[in-house]
Every structure is written in structure tokens, then in C-alpha cells.
Amino acid sequence: MRANGAVVRLTTRVQEGLEEAARRPDRGDISTTTVIIWVAAVTGAVLIAGTIGVVIAKYNGQLLGL
């Protein structure tokens, strides 16, 4: 039930956004380049955090003796 409500809200929001874009094509939306940079930054941060997690998990026993 809650999922259906969320889908309805999301669908409504997307439709409103498309209607707004049709009314005002130059709304100052962020550029594709900005989105690519943000995705790359977040992906890099996740990869670094994951690598640190794997290294800590692998060497956890050896680190306890320090």
C-alpha cells in the first residue's frame, strides 16, 4: 500500500516537472556536465570507502596487535 502511494507521488512529481519544462524551457536546470561530475565524485568516494573497508576487514586481526 505504501509503495503504491510513493509511486503515485513520484509519477505526479515527474509529470509536474515535465509540464513545467514545457512551459518554461530555460529554467536554469543543472547541466549534463555537472551531473556527470557529481556522479563521478560520488562513485569515487564509494570506491575509496569500499577499498578502505576491504583492507580493514582483511587485516583486522593484524591491526589489533598494534
Coordinates of all heavy atoms in Angstrom, one line a residue:
M1 N 0.8 -1.2 0.0 CA 0.0 0.0 0.0 C 0.9 1.3 0.0 O 0.6 2.2 -0.8 CB -0.9 0.0 1.2 CG -2.0 -1.1 1.2 SD -3.2 -0.5 0.0 CE -4.6 -1.4 0.6
R2 N 1.9 1.3 0.9 CA 2.7 2.5 1.0 C 3.5 2.7 -0.3 O 3.7 3.8 -0.8 CB 3.7 2.4 2.1 CG 3.0 2.6 3.5 CD 3.9 2.4 4.6 NE 5.1 3.1 4.5 CZ 6.1 3.2 5.4 NH1 5.9 2.6 6.6 NH2 7.2 3.8 5.2
A3 N 3.9 1.5 -0.9 CA 4.7 1.6 -2.2 C 3.8 2.2 -3.3 O 4.3 3.0 -4.1 CB 5.2 0.2 -2.6
N4 N 2.6 1.9 -3.3 CA 1.7 2.4 -4.3 C 1.6 3.9 -4.2 O 1.6 4.7 -5.2 CB 0.3 1.8 -4.3 CG 0.3 0.4 -4.7 OD1 1.2 0.0 -5.5 ND2 -0.7 -0.4 -4.3
G5 N 1.4 4.4 -3.0 CA 1.3 5.8 -2.7 C 2.6 6.6 -3.1 O 2.6 7.6 -3.7
A6 N 3.8 5.9 -2.9 CA 5.0 6.5 -3.3 C 5.2 6.6 -4.8 O 5.6 7.6 -5.3 CB 6.2 5.7 -2.7
V7 N 4.7 5.6 -5.5 CA 4.8 5.6 -6.9 C 3.9 6.6 -7.5 O 4.2 7.3 -8.4 CB 4.4 4.2 -7.5 CG1 4.2 4.2 -9.0 CG2 5.4 3.1 -7.1
V8 N 2.7 6.8 -6.9 CA 1.7 7.8 -7.4 C 2.3 9.2 -7.2 O 2.3 10.0 -8.1 CB 0.4 7.7 -6.7 CG1 -0.5 8.9 -6.9 CG2 -0.3 6.4 -7.1
R9 N 2.9 9.4 -6.0 CA 3.6 10.7 -5.7 C 4.7 11.0 -6.7 O 4.9 12.1 -7.2 CB 4.1 10.8 -4.3 CG 3.0 11.0 -3.3 CD 3.5 11.4 -1.9 NE 4.4 10.4 -1.4 CZ 4.1 9.3 -0.7 NH1 2.8 9.1 -0.5 NH2 5.0 8.5 -0.2
L10 N 5.5 10.0 -6.9 CA 6.7 10.1 -7.8 C 6.2 10.4 -9.2 O 6.7 11.3 -9.9 CB 7.5 8.9 -7.8 CG 8.8 8.9 -8.7 CD1 9.7 10.0 -8.3 CD2 9.5 7.5 -8.7
T11 N 5.2 9.7 -9.7 CA 4.7 9.9 -11.0 C 4.1 11.3 -11.2 O 4.3 11.9 -12.2 CB 3.6 8.8 -11.3 OG1 4.2 7.5 -11.2 CG2 3.1 8.9 -12.7
T12 N 3.4 11.7 -10.2 CA 2.8 13.0 -10.2 C 3.9 14.1 -10.3 O 3.8 15.0 -11.1 CB 1.9 13.3 -9.0 OG1 0.9 12.3 -8.9 CG2 1.3 14.6 -9.0
R13 N 4.9 13.9 -9.5 CA 6.0 14.9 -9.5 C 6.7 14.9 -10.8 O 7.1 16.0 -11.3 CB 7.0 14.5 -8.4 CG 8.2 15.5 -8.2 CD 7.7 16.9 -7.9 NE 8.8 17.8 -7.9 CZ 9.0 18.8 -8.7 NH1 8.1 19.0 -9.6 NH2 10.1 19.5 -8.7
V14 N 6.9 13.8 -11.4 CA 7.6 13.8 -12.7 C 6.7 14.4 -13.8 O 7.2 15.2 -14.6 CB 7.9 12.3 -13.1 CG1 8.4 12.2 -14.6 CG2 9.0 11.7 -12.2
Q15 N 5.4 14.2 -13.7 CA 4.5 14.9 -14.7 C 4.5 16.4 -14.5 O 4.6 17.1 -15.5 CB 3.1 14.3 -14.5 CG 2.9 13.0 -15.1 CD 1.5 12.4 -14.9 OE1 0.8 12.8 -13.9 NE2 1.0 11.6 -15.7
E16 N 4.5 16.8 -13.3 CA 4.6 18.2 -13.0 C 5.9 18.8 -13.5 O 5.9 19.9 -14.1 CB 4.4 18.5 -11.5 CG 3.1 18.2 -10.9 CD 3.0 18.3 -9.4 OE1 4.1 18.5 -8.8 OE2 1.9 18.2 -8.9
G17 N 7.0 18.1 -13.3 CA 8.3 18.6 -13.8 C 8.3 18.7 -15.3 O 8.8 19.7 -15.9
L18 N 7.7 17.7 -16.0 CA 7.7 17.8 -17.5 C 6.8 18.9 -18.0 O 7.1 19.6 -18.9 CB 7.2 16.4 -18.0 CG 8.1 15.3 -17.8 CD1 7.5 14.0 -18.3 CD2 9.4 15.5 -18.6
E19 N 5.7 19.1 -17.3 CA 4.8 20.2 -17.7 C 5.5 21.6 -17.4 O 5.4 22.5 -18.3 CB 3.5 20.2 -16.9 CG 2.6 19.0 -17.2 CD 1.4 18.8 -16.3 OE1 1.3 19.6 -15.3 OE2 0.7 17.9 -16.4
E20 N 6.2 21.7 -16.3 CA 6.9 22.9 -16.1 C 8.0 23.2 -17.1 O 8.2 24.3 -17.6 CB 7.6 22.8 -14.7 CG 8.4 24.0 -14.3 CD 7.6 25.3 -14.0 OE1 6.3 25.2 -13.8 OE2 8.2 26.4 -14.0
A21 N 8.7 22.1 -17.5 CA 9.7 22.2 -18.5 C 9.1 22.6 -19.9 O 9.8 23.4 -20.6 CB 10.5 20.9 -18.7
A22 N 7.9 22.2 -20.2 CA 7.3 22.6 -21.4 C 6.9 24.0 -21.4 O 7.0 24.7 -22.4 CB 6.0 21.7 -21.7
R23 N 6.4 24.5 -20.2 CA 6.0 25.9 -20.1 C 7.3 26.8 -20.1 O 7.2 27.9 -20.7 CB 5.3 26.1 -18.8 CG 3.8 25.7 -18.8 CD 3.1 26.2 -17.6 NE 3.7 25.9 -16.3 CZ 3.3 24.8 -15.6 NH1 2.5 24.0 -16.1 NH2 3.9 24.6 -14.5
R24 N 8.3 26.5 -19.4 CA 9.5 27.3 -19.3 C 10.7 26.5 -19.6 O 11.4 25.9 -18.7 CB 9.6 27.8 -17.8 CG 8.5 28.7 -17.4 CD 8.7 29.3 -16.1 NE 9.4 28.5 -15.1 CZ 10.1 28.9 -14.1 NH1 10.2 30.2 -13.8 NH2 10.6 28.0 -13.2
P25 N 11.1 26.4 -20.9 CA 12.2 25.6 -21.3 C 13.6 26.0 -20.7 O 14.4 25.1 -20.5 CB 12.2 25.7 -22.8 CG 11.3 26.8 -23.2 CD 10.5 27.1 -22.0
D26 N 13.7 27.3 -20.4 CA 15.0 27.7 -19.8 C 14.8 28.0 -18.3 O 14.6 29.1 -17.9 CB 15.5 29.0 -20.5 CG 16.9 29.4 -20.0 OD1 17.6 28.5 -19.4 OD2 17.3 30.5 -20.2
R27 N 14.8 26.9 -17.5 CA 14.6 27.1 -16.1 C 15.8 27.2 -15.2 O 15.8 27.2 -14.0 CB 13.7 25.9 -15.6 CG 12.4 25.8 -16.2 CD 11.6 24.6 -15.7 NE 12.4 23.4 -15.9 CZ 12.4 22.3 -15.1 NH1 11.6 22.3 -14.1 NH2 13.1 21.2 -15.4
G28 N 17.0 27.1 -15.9 CA 18.2 27.2 -15.1 C 18.6 25.8 -14.5 O 19.2 25.7 -13.5
D29 N 18.2 24.7 -15.2 CA 18.5 23.4 -14.7 C 20.0 23.2 -14.8 O 20.7 23.8 -15.5 CB 17.8 22.3 -15.6 CG 16.3 22.2 -15.4 OD1 15.9 22.7 -14.3 OD2 15.6 21.7 -16.2
I30 N 20.5 22.3 -13.9 CA 21.9 22.0 -13.9 C 22.3 21.3 -15.2 O 21.5 20.6 -15.8 CB 22.3 21.1 -12.7 CG1 21.5 19.8 -12.7 CG2 22.1 21.9 -11.4 CD1 22.0 18.9 -11.6
S31 N 23.5 21.5 -15.7 CA 23.9 21.0 -16.9 C 24.3 19.5 -16.8 O 24.5 18.9 -15.7 CB 25.1 21.7 -17.4 OG 26.2 21.5 -16.6
T32 N 24.3 18.8 -18.0 CA 24.7 17.4 -18.0 C 26.1 17.2 -17.5 O 26.4 16.3 -16.8 CB 24.7 16.9 -19.5 OG1 23.3 17.2 -20.0 CG2 25.0 15.5 -19.6
T33 N 27.0 18.2 -17.8 CA 28.4 18.1 -17.3 C 28.4 18.1 -15.7 O 29.2 17.3 -15.1 CB 29.2 19.3 -17.8 OG1 29.1 19.3 -19.2 CG2 30.7 19.2 -17.4
T34 N 27.6 18.9 -15.1 CA 27.6 19.0 -13.7 C 27.1 17.6 -13.1 O 27.7 17.1 -12.1 CB 26.6 20.1 -13.2 OG1 27.1 21.3 -13.7 CG2 26.6 20.2 -11.7
V35 N 26.1 17.0 -13.7 CA 25.6 15.7 -13.3 C 26.7 14.7 -13.4 O 26.9 13.9 -12.5 CB 24.3 15.3 -14.1 CG1 23.9 13.9 -13.8 CG2 23.2 16.3 -13.8
I36 N 27.4 14.7 -14.5 CA 28.5 13.7 -14.7 C 29.6 13.9 -13.7 O 30.1 12.9 -13.1 CB 29.1 13.9 -16.2 CG1 28.0 13.4 -17.2 CG2 30.4 13.1 -16.3 CD1 28.4 13.7 -18.6
I37 N 29.9 15.1 -13.4 CA 31.0 15.4 -12.4 C 30.5 14.9 -11.0 O 31.3 14.2 -10.3 CB 31.3 16.9 -12.3 CG1 32.1 17.2 -13.6 CG2 32.2 17.2 -11.1 CD1 32.3 18.7 -13.8
W38 N 29.2 15.1 -10.6 CA 28.7 14.7 -9.3 C 28.7 13.1 -9.3 O 29.1 12.5 -8.2 CB 27.3 15.2 -9.1 CG 27.4 16.6 -8.4 CD1 27.2 17.8 -9.0 CD2 27.7 16.9 -7.0 NE1 27.4 18.8 -8.1 CE2 27.7 18.3 -6.9 CE3 28.0 16.1 -6.0 CZ2 27.9 18.9 -5.7 CZ3 28.3 16.7 -4.7 CH2 28.2 18.0 -4.6
V39 N 28.3 12.5 -10.3 CA 28.2 11.0 -10.3 C 29.6 10.5 -10.2 O 29.8 9.5 -9.4 CB 27.5 10.5 -11.6 CG1 27.7 9.0 -11.8 CG2 26.0 10.9 -11.6
A40 N 30.6 11.0 -10.9 CA 31.9 10.6 -10.8 C 32.5 10.8 -9.4 O 33.2 9.9 -8.9 CB 32.8 11.3 -11.8
A41 N 32.2 11.9 -8.8 CA 32.7 12.2 -7.4 C 32.1 11.2 -6.4 O 32.8 10.6 -5.6 CB 32.4 13.6 -7.1
V42 N 30.8 11.0 -6.5 CA 30.2 10.1 -5.6 C 30.7 8.6 -5.8 O 31.0 7.9 -4.8 CB 28.6 10.1 -5.7 CG1 28.0 9.0 -4.9 CG2 28.2 11.5 -5.2
T43 N 30.8 8.2 -7.1 CA 31.3 6.9 -7.4 C 32.7 6.7 -6.8 O 33.1 5.7 -6.2 CB 31.3 6.6 -8.9 OG1 30.0 6.8 -9.3 CG2 31.8 5.2 -9.2
G44 N 33.6 7.7 -7.0 CA 34.9 7.7 -6.5 C 35.0 7.5 -5.0 O 35.7 6.7 -4.4
A45 N 34.1 8.3 -4.3 CA 34.1 8.3 -2.9 C 33.6 6.9 -2.4 O 34.2 6.3 -1.4 CB 33.1 9.3 -2.3
V46 N 32.6 6.3 -3.0 CA 32.1 5.0 -2.7 C 33.2 3.9 -2.9 O 33.4 3.0 -2.0 CB 30.8 4.6 -3.4 CG1 30.5 3.2 -3.3 CG2 29.7 5.5 -3.0
L47 N 33.9 4.0 -4.0 CA 35.0 3.1 -4.3 C 36.1 3.2 -3.2 O 36.7 2.2 -2.8 CB 35.6 3.3 -5.7 CG 34.7 2.8 -6.8 CD1 35.3 3.2 -8.2 CD2 34.5 1.3 -6.8
I48 N 36.5 4.4 -2.9 CA 37.6 4.6 -1.9 C 37.1 4.0 -0.5 O 37.9 3.3 0.2 CB 37.9 6.1 -1.8 CG1 38.7 6.5 -3.0 CG2 38.8 6.3 -0.5 CD1 38.9 8.0 -3.2
A49 N 35.9 4.4 -0.1 CA 35.4 3.8 1.2 C 35.3 2.3 1.2 O 35.6 1.7 2.1 CB 34.0 4.5 1.5
G50 N 34.9 1.8 0.0 CA 34.8 0.3 -0.1 C 36.2 -0.3 0.0 O 36.4 -1.4 0.7
T51 N 37.1 0.3 -0.6 CA 38.5 -0.3 -0.6 C 39.1 -0.2 0.8 O 39.7 -1.2 1.3 CB 39.4 0.5 -1.6 OG1 38.9 0.5 -2.9 CG2 40.8 0.0 -1.5
I52 N 38.8 0.9 1.5 CA 39.3 1.0 2.9 C 38.6 -0.1 3.8 O 39.3 -0.7 4.6 CB 39.0 2.4 3.4 CG1 39.9 3.4 2.7 CG2 39.2 2.5 4.9 CD1 39.6 4.9 3.0
G53 N 37.3 -0.3 3.6 CA 36.6 -1.3 4.3 C 37.2 -2.7 4.1 O 37.3 -3.5 5.0
V54 N 37.5 -3.0 2.8 CA 38.0 -4.3 2.5 C 39.4 -4.5 3.1 O 39.7 -5.5 3.7 CB 38.1 -4.5 0.9 CG1 38.9 -5.7 0.6 CG2 36.7 -4.6 0.4
V55 N 40.2 -3.5 3.0 CA 41.6 -3.6 3.6 C 41.5 -3.7 5.1 O 42.2 -4.6 5.7 CB 42.4 -2.3 3.2 CG1 43.7 -2.3 4.0 CG2 42.7 -2.3 1.7
I56 N 40.6 -3.0 5.8 CA 40.5 -3.1 7.2 C 40.0 -4.5 7.6 O 40.4 -5.1 8.6 CB 39.6 -2.0 7.8 CG1 40.3 -0.6 7.7 CG2 39.1 -2.3 9.2 CD1 39.5 0.6 8.1
A57 N 39.0 -5.0 6.9 CA 38.4 -6.3 7.1 C 39.5 -7.4 6.9 O 39.6 -8.3 7.7 CB 37.2 -6.6 6.3
K58 N 40.3 -7.2 5.9 CA 41.3 -8.2 5.6 C 42.4 -8.3 6.7 O 42.9 -9.3 7.1 CB 42.0 -7.9 4.3 CG 43.0 -8.9 3.8 CD 43.5 -8.7 2.4 CE 44.5 -9.7 2.0 NZ 45.0 -9.4 0.6
Y59 N 42.8 -7.1 7.1 CA 44.0 -7.0 8.1 C 43.5 -6.7 9.5 O 44.3 -6.3 10.3 CB 45.0 -6.0 7.6 CG 45.6 -6.3 6.3 CD1 45.3 -5.7 5.1 CD2 46.6 -7.3 6.3 CE1 45.9 -6.1 3.9 CE2 47.2 -7.7 5.1 CZ 46.8 -7.1 3.9 OH 47.4 -7.4 2.7
N60 N 42.3 -7.0 9.8 CA 41.7 -6.6 11.1 C 42.5 -7.3 12.2 O 42.8 -6.7 13.3 CB 40.2 -7.0 11.2 CG 39.6 -6.3 12.4 OD1 40.0 -5.3 12.9 ND2 38.5 -6.9 12.8
G61 N 42.8 -8.6 12.1 CA 43.5 -9.4 13.1 C 44.9 -8.8 13.4 O 45.3 -8.7 14.5
Q62 N 45.6 -8.4 12.3 CA 46.9 -7.9 12.5 C 46.9 -6.5 13.1 O 47.8 -6.1 13.8 CB 47.6 -7.8 11.1 CG 47.8 -9.2 10.5 CD 48.4 -9.2 9.1 OE1 48.7 -8.1 8.6 NE2 48.6 -10.3 8.5
L63 N 45.8 -5.7 12.8 CA 45.7 -4.4 13.3 C 45.5 -4.4 14.8 O 45.8 -3.4 15.5 CB 44.6 -3.6 12.6 CG 44.9 -3.3 11.2 CD1 43.7 -2.6 10.5 CD2 46.1 -2.3 11.0
L64 N 44.8 -5.4 15.4 CA 44.5 -5.5 16.8 C 45.8 -5.5 17.6 O 45.8 -5.1 18.8 CB 43.6 -6.7 17.1 CG 42.2 -6.6 16.5 CD1 41.5 -7.9 16.8 CD2 41.5 -5.5 17.2
G65 N 46.9 -6.0 17.1 CA 48.1 -6.1 17.9 C 48.9 -4.8 17.9 O 49.9 -4.8 18.6
L66 N 48.5 -3.8 17.2 CA 49.3 -2.6 17.1 C 49.2 -1.8 18.4 O 48.2 -1.6 19.0 CB 48.9 -1.8 15.9 CG 49.3 -2.4 14.5 CD1 48.8 -1.4 13.4 CD2 50.8 -2.6 14.4

